[in-house]
């Protein structure tokens, strides 16, 4: 009888251990393709604002965003980023267009944060490519929509005045 009780206790302990090690079943399933499409739509909207020369940073950046560009100190905050973009657009030749392409995304397990790797192309009024570049952006879902919290870009355009 004693052996039967001990065996029952050992069996219950093993079952409890196995059930305790069972993986969570309430994990969030992240649809990477849907998120990539959502991020591409955001990039398309940003390109449209660039091309219309009417950039509104609140459409893309979080209030506490930081942006890193070539030959500039980090831009901290939506207002500083928007001012820099508007200053750059004032020098952007009329008719030039920009397009952003999402190459890949890396969402967090819950889909709240997304790292985007992309490229851009600047073309003239005849759509002839002038130069390209690459960027990386980190998005975070806030109040139901993705906003950029960090980004960094690099152009392949030669900025050396001796070579122009």
């Amino acid at each position: 009888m004693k052996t039967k009780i001990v065996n029952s206790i050992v069996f219950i302990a093993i079952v409890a251990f196995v059930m305790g090690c069972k993986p969570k079943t309430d994990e969030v399933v992240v649809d990477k393709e849907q998120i990539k499409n959502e991020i591409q739509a955001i990039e398309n909207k940003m390109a449209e604002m660039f091309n219309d020369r009417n950039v509104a940073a609140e459409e893309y950046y979080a209030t506490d965003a930081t942006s890193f560009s070539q030959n500039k100190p980090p831009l901290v905050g939506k207002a500083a980023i928007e001012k820099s973009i508007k200053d750059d657009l004032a020098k952007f030749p009329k008719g030039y267009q920009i397009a952003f392409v999402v190459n890949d995304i890396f969402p967090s397990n819950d889909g709240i944060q997304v790292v985007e790797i992309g490229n851009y192309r600047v073309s003239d009024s005849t759509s002839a490519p002038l130069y390209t570049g690459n960027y990386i952006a980190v998005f975070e879902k806030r109040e139901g929509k993705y906003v950029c919290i960090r980004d960094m870009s690099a152009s392949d355009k030669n900025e050396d005045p001796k070579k122009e």
Side-chain angles (χ1 to χ4, degrees), residues 77-144:
K78 192 186 311 188
I81 295 168
E82 185 170 308
K83 181 185 180 320
S84 177
I85 292 171
K86 286 182 178 182
D87 290 347
D88 289 346
L89 283 175
K91 298 176 231 162
F92 205 59
K94 190 169 177 70
Y96 279 26
Q97 301 285 304
I98 193 165
F100 300 102
V101 176
V102 177
N103 296 338
D104 206 354
I105 62 160
F106 303 91
S108 59
N109 289 340
D110 60 4
I112 299 298
Q113 288 192 333
V114 178
V115 175
E116 172 202 2
I117 307 294
N119 69 75
Y120 63 91
R121 185 186 82 202
V122 175
S123 52
D124 66 15
S125 59
T126 66
S127 297
L130 299 168
Y131 61 93
T132 59
N134 298 289
Y135 64 90
I136 185 169
V138 179
F139 288 87
E140 187 170 88
K141 194 165 241 184
R142 296 183 180 176
E143 298 177 11

Side-chain angles (χ1 to χ4, degrees), residues 27-80:
E27 290 183 23
V28 176
V29 176
V30 175
D31 183 346
K32 189 174 175 182
E33 199 58 36
Q34 186 271 329
I35 293 172
K36 185 175 182 180
N37 291 338
E38 196 171 336
I39 298 296
Q40 184 63 65
I42 293 167
E43 295 297 358
N44 292 347
K45 176 69 175 165
M46 187 62 154
E48 182 182 314
M49 287 188 292
F50 263 86
N51 296 334
D52 291 343
R53 310 303 195 263
N54 187 23
V55 173
E58 68 270 3
E59 296 286 328
Y60 188 85
Y61 289 100
T63 305
D64 58 345
T66 301
S67 183
F68 301 88
S69 297
Q70 288 183 173
N71 306 316
K72 292 182 184 178
L75 301 168
V76 180
K78 192 186 311 188

